[in-house]
């Protein structure tokens, strides 16, 4: 259900962003819904990743454990603008 809602929201967002006359209030509302959808997707991915067994590869001296990485959204640096 969350994936379907996220997919619908993404299609709606793409359509809205193609329209240069969308009011700022509607874009803000859209941004809030996109944040909610991304939060749901990250929660599901983290939950599923935490249930995966750790697989160690002989050629990988530092295996990645489930749950490794930023604890909160926004801990990483934003992508740099394209040159």
């Amino acid at each position: 259900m969350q994936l379907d809602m996220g997919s619908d929201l993404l299609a709606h967002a793409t359509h809205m962003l193609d329209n240069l006359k969308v009011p700022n209030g509607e874009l803000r509302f859209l941004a809030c819904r996109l944040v909610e959808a991304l939060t749901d997707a990250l929660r599901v991915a983290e939950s599923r990743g935490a249930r995966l067994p750790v697989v160690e590869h002989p050629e990988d001296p530092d295996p990645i454990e489930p749950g490794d990485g930023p604890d909160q959204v926004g801990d990483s640096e934003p992508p740099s603008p394209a040159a």
Side-chain angles (χ1 to χ4, degrees), residues 61-81:
D62 186 23
I64 297 174
E65 301 283 334
D68 280 354
D71 292 331
Q72 297 178 358
V73 174
D75 281 353
S76 62
E77 294 184 27
S80 59

Side-chain angles (χ1 to χ4, degrees), residues 16 22-32:
M16 283 184 71
V22 175
N24 288 341
E26 288 186 34
L27 289 175
R28 181 171 174 74
F29 182 80
L30 173 65
C32 290

Side-chain angles (χ1 to χ4, degrees), residues 2-26:
Q2 289 170 327
L3 291 176
D4 288 339
M5 289 175 62
S7 180
D8 291 346
L9 182 59
L10 183 58
H12 183 66
T14 301
H15 177 71
M16 283 184 71
L17 293 173
D18 285 342
N19 181 356
L20 298 177
K21 295 182 181 183
V22 175
N24 288 341
E26 288 186 34

